[in-house]
Amino acid sequence: MTGTLVLAGTPIGDVQDAPPRLAEELAGADVVAAEDTRRLRRLTQALGVTPKGRVVSYFEGNEAARTPELVEELLGGARVLLVTDAGMPSVSDPGYRLVAAAVERDVRVTAIPGPSAVLTALALSGLPVDRFCFEGFLPRKAGERLTRLREVAGERRTLVYFEAPHRLDDTLAAMAEVFGAERRAAVCRELTKTYEEVRRGGLGELAAWAAEGVRGEITVVVEGAPEKGPEEIGAEELVRRVRAREEAGERRKEAIAAVAAEAGVPKREVFDAVVAAKRAGT
C-alpha cells in the first residue's frame, strides 16, 4: 500500500484563516515537508499542535534533491504533508516536482483547500473575475519582463501577478508602457493582515504611487485588453510595427507574434499583412 501526499493550504496572513483540517493533518502526518521550518514552528504554535512525524525542509534550493526521498516515503506507505509559507503548495511555491513525481508513481495526491492570494485579490480588485489568467512572477530582468508582458498585451482575461515590493514600481511602469497607462489595475498589499491595502487606478497612476516605496506581500490584478475590431488596426500599421521590432533586433517570427498579441489579432493576420507588403514592395 502506498501512502498519500497531502498539499496543505496555509494562511496568507491571518492565522485564524487556517482550515480546520490543517491542525489535524499537522498533528498526524508521518512526514511534514515545509518550505521554512521556522515559519512552520510559528504556525504550529499558533494552532496549538505538535507534529508527531518527522519535519524536513522542502524549498527551492533542495526541492530537486529531496523529492526522490519523499517519494520513497510515500511508496513505503507514509502520509506526507507538504506546506509552504503561505497559500497552496506548487502555486508559485515549491511542490510541483513532488506532485508530478507522486502522480507518475501512482501515489494518491489530495489537498486541504485554504486561503488564496490570487482569488482574494481578484475578489477585492473590482475588476472582472469571470475569466482570469494567473501569470505568477515576472522575470527580474527588464528586457525579459517587457517581452513577457508583450506576449499577453492582447489578453482579454483579467491578469494576476505576484511581485516583490522592491520591484513593484518597475513592474507597474513596464505594464503601463506595454498595456497603456490608463489600463485599470489593483495593487493588493498585505492581504488579510493588519495593514491590508488595496490601491486601485490606472497603471500609470499606480506606477507613480509605487515609486515612493511599498512594503509587504504584493498581488497585482490588471484589467484584460479591451475588445478591438479588426478595422481599428490596419494592415499597414501591423507591418510598420513588425518592421520596427525587426530593426530593434527581433526575429520576424517573434516580432509577428508580439505584434499580434499587442493588436489582439491572430498571428496569421499579421503574417499575411507582412507577406502582402513584401510582394507589393512597400
Side-chain angles (χ1 to χ4, degrees):
M1 294 289 291
T2 58
T4 299
L5 173 61
V6 182
L7 309 178
T10 54
I12 59 176
D14 192 333
V15 72
Q16 295 183 76
D17 293 334
R21 285 175 50 207
L22 179 58
E24 180 182 338
E25 290 286 353
L26 283 167
D30 298 303
V31 180
V32 179
E35 183 178 8
D36 186 329
T37 55
R38 293 168 298 181
R39 293 277 292 267
L40 173 66
R41 190 177 303 113
R42 291 197 291 270
L43 177 62
T44 55
Q45 289 174 347
L47 296 177
V49 298
T50 302
K52 76 167 187 180
R54 185 164 63 97
V55 175
V56 300
S57 63
Y58 189 77
F59 60 98
E60 185 178 0
N62 72 354
E63 188 176 3
R66 180 141 283 169
T67 293
E69 172 191 328
L70 293 175
V71 170
E72 287 303 313
E73 293 275 7
L74 290 164
L75 293 175
R79 190 173 185 85
V80 176
L81 182 69
L82 179 60
V83 297
T84 53
D85 292 346
M88 182 62 68
S90 82
V91 180
S92 285
D93 275 332
Y96 168 75
R97 284 190 179 93
L98 182 55
V99 173
V103 170
E104 185 178 354
R105 301 298 293 271
D106 292 324
V107 173
R108 180 172 180 262
V109 181
T110 187
I112 304 172
S116 165
V118 175
L119 297 181
T120 304
L122 275 166
L124 296 176
S125 69
L127 298 173
V129 297
D130 53 330
R131 299 174 66 225
F132 66 90
C133 181
F134 175 56
E135 288 288 307
F137 284 94
L138 286 166
R140 297 182 181 183
K141 294 183 178 179
E144 295 176 2
R145 182 166 55 232
L146 284 171
T147 298
R148 182 76 61 80
L149 290 172
R150 285 167 181 153
E151 290 173 355
V152 296
E155 175 60 64
R156 302 280 193 259
R157 294 170 293 180
T158 298
L159 299 162
V160 186
Y161 295 89
F162 288 158
E163 190 51 279
H166 63 278
R167 291 196 300 268
L168 180 62
D169 55 341
D170 289 336
T171 291
L172 290 172
M175 288 178 172
E177 176 183 341
V178 175
F179 299 155
E182 300 305 314
R183 179 85 70 90
R184 294 188 300 163
V187 176
C188 304
R189 186 180 72 85
E190 294 289 88
L191 290 172
T192 78
K193 299 178 183 177
T194 302
Y195 298 103
E196 176 181 284
E197 178 183 18
V198 179
R199 178 75 62 142
R200 304 175 183 87
L203 284 168
E205 173 190 344
L206 291 172
W209 163 74
E212 300 177 4
V214 179
R215 295 182 179 180
E217 300 286 337
I218 305 292
T219 304
V220 180
V221 185
V222 183
E223 182 180 33
E227 293 287 344
K228 293 181 180 179
E231 73 285 349
E232 293 186 37
I233 301 180
E236 290 184 6
E237 174 62 15
L238 294 175
V239 172
R240 186 195 68 76
R241 294 186 185 187
V242 170
R243 286 178 175 167
R245 287 179 171 277
E246 287 185 296
E247 290 171 0
E250 284 190 24
R251 296 172 56 189
R252 176 164 294 180
K253 182 178 179 181
E254 284 73 21
I256 288 174
V259 170
E262 290 176 356
V265 299
K267 286 189 286 187
R268 185 70 194 183
E269 183 176 331
V270 183
F271 175 80
D272 289 346
V274 171
V275 171
K278 183 176 181 181
R279 287 176 178 169
T282 59

